[in-house]
Amino acid sequence: MPAIPRPPLPRGPLRIVGKPLTWSGAIAYPVALHVMMRGSWQGFSAAMLLLVSLLTVLTASLLRRTPLSALALLLAGWFAAVSARGMLEAGLLQVLISDLAVGYIAATRPRRTSLTAAGMALGGQAASALYFPSGQGAYVQTLAFIGVALAAAWTAGDSIRERREHAEALYVQATAQAVTAERLRIARELHDMIGHSVGVIAIQAGVGRRVIDTRPDEARNALAAIEATSKETLAGLGRTLGALRRADAGGGAGARADSAPRGPAPVLDDLDRLAASAKDAGIRVDVRWLGERRPLPADIELAAYRIVQESLTNVARHASTRDCLVTVDYRADELSVEVENDGRTGLASGTGGAAGWGIVGMRERIVLLHGQFTAGPRPEGGFRVAARLPLPEGVHLP
């Protein structure tokens, strides 16, 4: 059951009163700075410095919600301070505070907004520079210093924004690729599972239809094989759909998702059961084991099993023979799987139809595991599918 969204919490009295107080303090900020600087001839009192510091923090906190308005109040405050008394120290504080504000806006807002903020800061600082003590070329030098400092702050903030947006774009791209890869994996699983089972069912249904009048026992056996294959396929589909439900629910503890049937993925030890299923469909499968059999990683065992399963399905559908040889060779650093038949006509190696897509799916599986895959007619006749899967270091033979 999906989670019921919680209603928004009621706004407390502090939040209701806090916003007007913040704006009131920000609006009073230029007045307080002007008064402080006008009275600076007798020195700065500790109370006035504390008040101005608190008002500066309050005004700067508005940059998150209304950056341009907050920047305008900061610029207005320090222009009022410099115009009251043209102290170079006040001008440097104005450059520092307003440039930090521009850098923050450039890092958190679109470029159009940050460029507007940079223009506002440049105008406010240039206007304040008119009140500094001037000499020959002093104003031009001051403007050059203001421009360089402002450009450095804006560039730093804009670079942070670009890096963050690039990281977000990479995350979205990686997520999309992961979703696509998962969909392809599920499509391959469904193709292998359903294609093999439907092929067996179709052959058994044909056998039953032909012998139902003359040999009822064989027809009954065919129906039993259809029933067993159908149940196995339905169980596999249930496991796949259960995994999809759990993924859609975020891996939660929903009762419907958790009650989906589960089961291990097929491994090479299940080839005997697969050969028996193929025998029910009229295909005689000889499984030959070479090398030292040992547990392998789950993805390698699943890929090898699916290669054999898809090959047997293609033999049932497209080959003129009903004899098939499966060779599984456990080598020191790789696993080799071959499926051969000696029929007069094997699979066409084209790319269309079910056979073509089956070959494409097998090749994709092997390529994902950095292996080698070949499929094509044999010189002596028939068809051969071969896959070589490299083994991780931990499963190499000494």
Side-chain angles (χ1 to χ4, degrees):
M1 176 181 295
I4 300 176
R6 295 182 179 178
L9 296 176
R11 299 176 63 184
L14 292 178
R15 294 185 61 188
I16 296 175
V17 178
K19 188 174 181 180
L21 286 179
T22 302
W23 276 105
S24 299
I27 294 173
Y29 181 59
V31 178
L33 279 176
H34 183 78
V35 171
M36 184 186 72
M37 294 304 295
R38 288 292 296 269
S40 63
W41 300 101
Q42 290 80 28
F44 298 102
S45 65
M48 182 58 69
L49 288 175
L50 179 60
L51 176 62
V52 169
S53 300
L54 291 176
L55 291 178
T56 302
V57 173
L58 280 177
T59 307
S61 67
L62 295 174
L63 288 169
R64 294 182 59 185
R65 296 182 179 179
T66 55
L68 295 182
S69 299
L71 178 63
L73 290 172
L74 288 172
L75 292 171
W78 286 101
F79 177 79
V82 174
S83 63
R85 184 178 178 188
M87 294 176 58
L88 182 60
E89 291 82 358
L92 291 176
L93 279 174
Q94 181 192 32
V95 170
L96 176 63
I97 293 175
S98 57
D99 285 1
L100 288 175
V102 169
Y104 175 79
I105 295 172
T108 57
R109 299 288 175 168
R111 184 167 294 171
R112 181 177 179 179
T113 303
S114 66
L115 287 175
T116 301
M120 291 171 55
L122 181 61
Q125 293 174 12
S128 299
L130 294 172
Y131 293 90
F132 295 158
S134 60
Q136 184 69 26
Y139 185 70
V140 176
Q141 295 176 1
T142 302
L143 286 182
F145 168 76
I146 289 173
V148 171
L150 183 61
W154 182 87
T155 302
D158 191 66
S159 298
I160 294 174
R161 179 188 59 80
E162 287 186 342
R163 286 197 297 270
R164 185 179 65 252
E165 291 179 351
H166 180 65
E168 292 175 354
L170 289 179
Y171 175 77
V172 171
Q173 182 181 3
T175 302
Q177 290 176 350
V179 170
T180 301
E182 182 65 11
R183 288 177 177 174
L184 290 175
R185 185 190 68 80
I186 293 173
R188 285 194 298 268
E189 290 294 323
L190 292 176
H191 173 273
D192 294 343
M193 179 171 52
I194 297 177
H196 173 77
S197 301
V198 171
V200 172
I201 291 173
I203 293 174
Q204 290 294 338
V207 172
R209 181 181 59 84
R210 287 191 296 269
V211 303
I212 191 170
D213 294 326
T214 58
R215 286 178 288 177
D217 291 340
E218 287 197 20
R220 189 177 298 107
N221 293 335
L223 291 175
I226 291 174
E227 180 184 10
T229 304
S230 301
K231 288 182 177 179
E232 182 180 354
T233 305
L234 287 174
L237 287 174
R239 289 191 295 269
T240 303
L241 294 177
L244 290 176
R245 291 194 192 101
R246 289 192 295 273
D248 290 340
R256 293 174 64 106
D258 287 343
S259 63
R262 302 178 183 180
V267 294
L268 289 174
D269 288 340
D270 297 323
L271 287 182
D272 293 333
R273 182 172 54 85
L274 180 64
S277 175
K279 183 178 180 181
D280 293 336
I283 302 173
R284 294 178 293 274
V285 181
D286 180 15
V287 181
R288 181 183 303 173
W289 302 91
L290 302 177
E292 180 183 341
R293 295 178 64 175
R294 58 193 185 276
L296 299 179
D299 53 352
I300 293 180
E301 296 235 5
L302 176 61
Y305 178 90
R306 293 304 190 197
I307 292 296
V308 177
Q309 183 184 50
E310 176 63 22
S311 300
L312 296 182
T313 301
N314 290 334
V315 168
R317 290 178 178 177
H318 305 283
S320 61
T321 183
R322 287 294 179 262
D323 293 324
C324 190
L325 173 62
V326 177
T327 303
V328 182
D329 188 0
Y330 289 81
R331 299 176 182 174
D333 56 353
E334 69 178 11
L335 177 71
S336 174
V337 178
E338 294 184 1
V339 183
E340 299 176 294
N341 69 82
D342 55 359
R344 293 187 300 274
T345 57
L347 282 172
S349 59
T351 59
W357 288 119
I359 292 178
V360 170
M362 288 189 285
R363 181 174 287 109
E364 286 179 354
R365 282 185 180 275
I366 302 306
V367 170
L368 287 175
L369 296 174
H370 309 288
Q372 300 178 5
F373 177 82
T374 57
R378 301 192 307 172
E380 62 273 22
F383 201 83
R384 176 176 177 268
V385 174
R388 297 171 60 186
L389 293 164
L391 302 179
E393 290 292 337
V395 293
H396 284 187
L397 284 178

